[in-house]
Amino acid sequence: MKAHVQTRMKRQYAKLVASITITVSVFFCAGVIVAMLYVGPNIIREDSLHPLVLPIYSFGDVVVMGILFGFVSAIISLAILLPVVKHDKNRCLALSKQYGAPHGRALFLSQSSVVHRGPEHSPEQVFDDVLSAVSSLGVRLRVVDREVGCIEGFTRPFYASRVTLKIDKLENGSHEITAVSTPVSGFLILDFGRNFEVVNQFAQALAQ
């Protein structure tokens, strides 16, 4: 189990590094394009009143200016991204300590938890308790099916995560409640531990 968590953690960091690299590259290319199309042609040499677009000037001047703007743009993107990544890591670390879970697990975007209720609880009571617990989290409910034992909704205010709960009755008469919280968007690389927090808050609310 520990090896599996470590493998998932490595994949998560690899995805994060790849996303940051791509973002910085995009900013770099955007800076080059902006400089070459708008900034470069408007540069005037000290010994002339004519812009660089005239044939007597080398296109290399514009390219150099584009590369310089690209580096500046890439540095700005890193200055924005790195604090965000650091904040996500620190918050996930705090959440892992709060709920007594490995740090690596708190970093995962898709989260789940399983809660059991004894046979002394009726199916109707269990469903009502689950519905009350998930409602206390501020989840906007979309599916409430007592017959199937399924509840689904989205976290507020931006529908960032889909929360799904499934209630299954076991052979010994007890109930197993599975809570899953996952990002709605497949492009998300950081959630600041939100899905991890949702499933753990649900487990705590149901235990009360």
Side-chain angles (χ1 to χ4, degrees), residues 30 43 57:
I43 296 178
Y57 294 99

Side-chain angles (χ1 to χ4, degrees), residues 13-203:
Y13 274 120
K15 180 180 178 181
L16 181 60
V17 171
S19 300
I20 292 177
T21 302
I22 293 174
T23 302
V24 172
S25 300
V26 170
F27 270 83
F28 176 81
C29 294
V32 171
I33 293 174
V34 169
M36 292 181 66
L37 292 181
Y38 297 100
V39 180
N42 293 316
I43 296 178
I44 299 176
R45 288 187 174 180
E46 295 180 357
D47 59 345
S48 175
L49 298 178
H50 301 289
L52 293 178
V53 291
L54 295 181
I56 59 175
Y57 294 99
S58 171
F59 185 71
D61 295 333
V62 182
V63 173
V64 171
M65 182 58 63
I67 293 175
L68 291 177
F69 267 75
F71 275 116
V72 172
S73 180
I75 291 173
I76 292 175
S77 68
L78 278 176
I80 296 173
L81 286 173
L82 291 181
V84 172
V85 173
K86 184 178 180 180
H87 174 70
D88 177 80
K89 183 178 180 181
N90 291 339
R91 188 168 190 276
C92 287
L93 180 60
L95 286 171
S96 67
K97 292 180 178 179
Q98 178 181 346
Y99 293 106
H103 183 205
R105 184 189 167 192
L107 291 171
F108 300 150
L109 296 179
S110 296
Q111 296 285 341
S112 64
S113 65
V114 178
V115 183
H116 291 89
R117 278 294 182 89
E120 67 275 10
H121 300 281
S122 66
E124 293 77 14
Q125 180 183 357
V126 172
F127 191 91
D128 289 339
D129 290 344
V130 171
L131 184 60
S132 176
V134 71
S135 298
S136 68
L137 303 181
V139 175
R140 189 183 299 273
L141 300 179
R142 286 300 181 90
V143 176
V144 179
D145 194 324
R146 288 182 176 272
E147 184 177 351
V148 178
C150 181
I151 300 173
E152 185 176 88
F154 298 88
T155 56
R156 297 179 181 182
F158 304 115
Y159 292 85
S161 299
R162 177 182 288 105
V163 181
T164 305
L165 302 115
K166 184 67 173 63
I167 305 171
D168 295 304
K169 189 171 182 178
L170 305 180
E171 294 181 357
N172 60 2
S174 62
H175 295 82
E176 183 177 83
I177 303 100
T178 303
V180 178
S181 182
T182 186
V184 173
S185 173
F187 295 100
L188 193 67
I189 61 172
L190 296 173
D191 74 336
F192 302 99
R194 177 55 181 160
N195 291 298
F196 176 78
E197 188 176 30
V198 166
V199 296
N200 282 280
Q201 284 183 343
F202 167 76

